[in-house]
Amino acid sequence: MNIVEKIENQIKTNPLSKEEFVKQFYEKTELMGIKHTFDVEEAWEIGCEIRKRNSFRKKAKEVQQQLLEQDNFTDKVKEIRKDNPLKELTADGLYLREIYNPPNELIVTKIHAEEHFYFLLEGEMSILTHDGIQHIQAPHYGITKPGTKRFIYTHEPCVFVTVHATMGRSIKEIEDLITAEDFNDPRVALEDVKLIQKLKKLL
């Protein structure tokens, strides 16, 4: 079990299985004589997603702090860039970041504030987010959603690229626009609100 899998095990919380929840729901509503008009299974899925996100965020903060207390882990940009060189390009409202990551490295990303494309051009890695562990191998591409924070373990040397649409004029301004300091950032919170609104509409 690698460190990414260990972190995932720490964040799992599931007091009731879906089957147990649905069974209990129907039994109690029948006992109380309540009629419901919503899809209980869809409500369960949304509720699980909200709980999963909140659980991951709480544990991610704790784990990141634990990692920073270790001598071989750093959040200092100058030190990181020695082993993880970064290339940056801008072109007419677009910003591209290409980063090299050596093998057997654990990386904790910032919180992404905006939706964007990502590409793994070389290598193989395991990625832990609130959606669980994803094992990817180049060539691979996908979409990052607002509120995503990643714990990455590189199995091989990796080249990872992200592409962002932005109106920022400087690299510093762009970085501020595409990342969030914490999960309370309005751009991140908007994704949570969408889920909660969907649940309210059901209920």
Side-chain angles (χ1 to χ4, degrees):
M1 180 182 292
N2 64 39
I3 191 161
V4 175
E5 290 169 331
K6 287 179 182 176
I7 295 169
E8 186 190 38
N9 286 338
Q10 289 183 52
I11 65 168
K12 284 182 178 174
T13 55
N14 189 16
L16 284 177
S17 71
K18 181 178 178 180
E19 292 74 21
E20 290 169 333
F21 170 81
V22 172
K23 182 173 181 288
Q24 188 179 92
F25 178 86
Y26 282 120
E27 285 175 352
K28 292 201 173 187
T29 53
E30 185 178 350
L31 184 67
M32 298 167 73
I34 299 171
K35 291 183 179 179
H36 58 85
T37 58
F38 60 89
D39 184 336
V40 65
E41 295 197 14
E42 190 175 355
W44 161 265
E45 295 294 343
I46 296 171
C48 281
E49 179 63 25
I50 293 169
R51 187 173 68 237
K52 183 174 64 174
R53 287 185 186 188
N54 291 337
S55 178
F56 175 85
R57 291 169 182 178
K58 181 181 177 184
K59 187 54 69 176
K61 187 176 179 181
E62 293 172 8
V63 170
Q64 186 167 349
Q65 187 55 46
Q66 289 170 9
L67 290 170
L68 286 170
E69 291 168 6
Q70 297 182 17
D71 293 335
N72 62 343
F73 197 88
T74 182
D75 63 348
K76 294 180 174 61
V77 174
K78 285 185 180 178
E79 291 181 27
I80 293 170
R81 291 294 167 256
K82 289 177 187 176
D83 296 321
N84 299 262
L86 175 69
K87 296 177 184 176
E88 297 172 291
L89 295 171
T90 58
D92 195 21
L94 292 174
Y95 169 62
L96 180 146
R97 285 173 62 96
E98 177 188 307
I99 189 164
Y100 167 83
N101 302 123
N104 304 312
E105 183 175 60
L106 177 65
I107 304 149
V108 181
T109 71
K110 291 186 176 182
I111 301 165
H112 298 274
E114 297 184 348
E115 187 172 77
H116 63 269
F117 289 110
Y118 71 85
F119 305 85
L120 180 62
L121 301 184
E122 295 178 21
E124 184 179 355
M125 58 174 55
S126 293
I127 303 172
L128 172 66
T129 67
H130 62 265
D131 286 325
I133 291 180
Q134 181 184 21
H135 184 82
I136 65 173
Q137 190 169 8
H140 178 89
Y141 65 90
I143 297 173
T144 298
K145 296 289 187 180
T148 299
K149 184 179 182 69
R150 294 185 173 101
F151 289 82
I152 300 172
Y153 180 78
T154 56
H155 302 283
E156 299 175 357
C158 292
V159 176
F160 197 87
V161 171
T162 60
V163 180
H164 310 258
T166 180
M167 299 303 290
R169 295 179 180 273
S170 68
I171 297 295
K172 175 67 172 70
E173 185 182 0
I174 291 170
E175 287 180 347
D176 290 342
L177 288 169
I178 66 175
T179 61
E181 285 298 315
D182 56 48
F183 290 108
N184 295 319
D185 185 289
R187 295 165 296 175
V188 174
L190 181 61
E191 292 300 301
D192 299 339
V193 168
K194 288 176 184 175
L195 268 182
I196 293 166
Q197 286 177 337
K198 189 175 179 182
L199 183 59
K200 284 182 176 178
K201 283 178 183 176
L202 276 177
L203 304 179

